[in-house]
Amino acid sequence: MRALAFALFGLVLTGAAEAQDMGLRSLQTGDDSRGWEAVGRINLGDRGFCTGALIAEDLVLTAAHCLFDKTSGVSINASDMQFLAGWRNGRAVAYRGVRQALAHPEYVYGGRESADRVPFDLALLQLDQPIRLTSVRPYATDARPQTGDEVGVVSYAQDRAEAPSLQQVCRVLGRQSVLRAGVVVKPGGTLFDTLVLSCDVDFGSSGAPVFSFRDGTLRIVSVISAKAEVDGEKVSLGTPLADHVEFLRGKLAASGSSLRPGNVRVLSGGSGGKFVQP
C-alpha cells in the first residue's frame, strides 16, 4: 500500500461532517441480506477480491483499478474473475464467470498512484451468463449526489470478506475538483469531480456501490475508489457515475472480446492529504 499527497480543492466539510453516521452492520442472515443480493464479491483469481453490484442481469459495476494486478500493473484476464452474487458465509446466491472486463478508457493504472485517477475509476464486467433470479434484482443508477446528502454503502473488506456489511447512513462531505490537462474545452482544461465521503471502507471495498435512498428507491450514485485522510480524519473517495455508465455500456456492447484501457493523458497533481486504494 502506497500513499501520496493530493489537494482537496474547494472541499467543504462543515455541516455534513457534524451529522451522525451509522456504523457498519454485518449482513449475516437471509433476512439481513434481503434486497442486497445483487451486491457481490468479485474474486480476482489469486489476487484478492473487490466488491461489485449488478446494474443489469449480466453487467457488474465496479472500480477500474480492480482489473489490474497491484504488483505488476498487468491487467487481469477476465477468465480469472468470478462474481459471487450475495456471497455470505461460504455460499453465494449465484456464481458467474466474467466474459469481458472493461475499464474506463480514460483511466490508467501504473506508475505513481494519484487521486487524479479517481474520477474515471469505473469498470463494467460482462458475465458469462445473466443472473435471472427474482431475489437478485439489478440496481438502477442515478446522478451525482450533492454535498450533505445521506448515502449508504454495502461492501466486503479484508476483515469482513465472508459476508457483506451495510453502512446505511454516511454522507457526502464535499467534492474534489480535478483539473484535467489536455481535454481543453476552455482555457486551462476541464474540471472533473471526486466525491469525498464519510463512509467506512477498507481493502476489498473497492468498487462497492454507494446508494442513494431518495424517494424510497435504491439507486447507485457512485462506487468506492479509495480511502483517504483529510486533516487526519479518515474519509473515502467515490467516483461519480455521471454519463460514464452508459458510455461504458456502449463500448462493451460494441466489443466482441475483452478490452483493455486505452492510453490516457497525465492528470495534474497536488498536495495536502494521504490517498490509498482499498
Side-chain angles (χ1 to χ4, degrees):
M1 183 175 68
R2 293 182 292 172
L4 79 136
F6 70 96
L8 296 175
F9 300 110
L11 178 62
V12 178
L13 294 177
T14 58
E18 296 171 0
Q20 185 66 41
D21 291 351
M22 294 183 68
L24 289 169
R25 177 167 66 90
S26 183
L27 305 179
Q28 291 285 346
T29 70
D31 287 340
D32 291 338
S33 303
R34 189 166 292 116
W36 305 111
E37 294 91 345
V39 179
R41 203 175 81 177
I42 302 170
N43 287 348
L44 304 168
D46 59 357
R47 300 173 178 87
F49 65 88
C50 280
T51 304
L54 282 174
I55 60 169
E57 292 179 340
D58 64 342
L59 292 180
V60 174
L61 181 66
T62 190
H65 73 263
C66 293
L67 275 53
F68 298 86
D69 185 292
K70 64 182 180 181
T71 301
S72 67
V74 174
S75 58
I76 301 171
N77 289 332
S79 60
D80 291 335
M81 302 177 190
Q82 186 181 34
F83 179 65
L84 311 178
W87 175 259
R88 177 170 52 84
N89 299 325
R91 297 185 64 181
V93 178
Y95 300 79
R96 293 293 187 273
V98 176
R99 188 170 74 86
Q100 296 190 70
L102 174 65
H104 196 292
E106 296 294 339
Y107 179 84
V108 63
Y109 189 95
R112 185 176 67 91
E113 294 204 21
S114 172
D116 298 344
R117 301 176 190 168
V118 176
F120 298 102
D121 195 5
L122 289 173
L124 284 182
L125 309 182
Q126 185 176 42
L127 304 179
D128 57 1
Q129 294 290 333
I131 299 177
R132 297 190 176 106
L133 298 172
T134 57
S135 62
V136 184
R137 298 180 179 178
Y139 301 107
T141 59
D142 206 352
R144 179 183 63 194
Q146 301 301 309
T147 298
D149 283 359
E150 290 186 355
V151 292
V153 176
V154 177
S155 65
Y156 297 84
Q158 60 181 356
D159 59 347
R160 41 191 173 87
E162 297 306 314
S165 291
L166 166 67
Q167 187 175 17
Q168 190 160 348
V169 178
C170 48
R171 298 179 187 273
V172 180
L173 301 177
R175 300 198 305 269
Q176 177 197 4
S177 295
V178 176
L179 184 65
R180 173 103 182 177
V183 187
V184 179
V185 296
K186 60 182 179 180
T190 304
L191 286 176
F192 298 93
D193 283 339
T194 291
L195 297 178
V196 182
L197 310 166
S198 65
C199 308
D200 187 351
V201 302
D202 208 337
F203 295 101
S205 300
S206 292
V210 179
F211 290 100
S212 163
F213 301 94
R214 184 167 53 86
D215 302 326
T217 301
L218 286 175
R219 297 181 179 90
I220 301 176
V221 293
S222 177
V223 301
I224 294 296
S225 175
K227 60 180 183 178
E229 289 183 1
V230 178
D231 297 329
E233 180 180 349
K234 292 182 179 180
V235 298
S236 51
L237 303 182
T239 304
L241 301 188
D243 298 323
H244 298 322
V245 173
E246 289 308 310
F247 170 74
L248 288 173
R249 290 179 77 152
K251 284 281 190 183
L252 200 58
S255 171
S257 60
S258 296
L259 297 177
R260 296 182 179 181
N263 294 327
V264 306
R265 292 168 289 274
V266 177
L267 307 184
S268 58
S271 60
K274 295 179 180 178
F275 164 88
V276 291
Q277 286 184 325

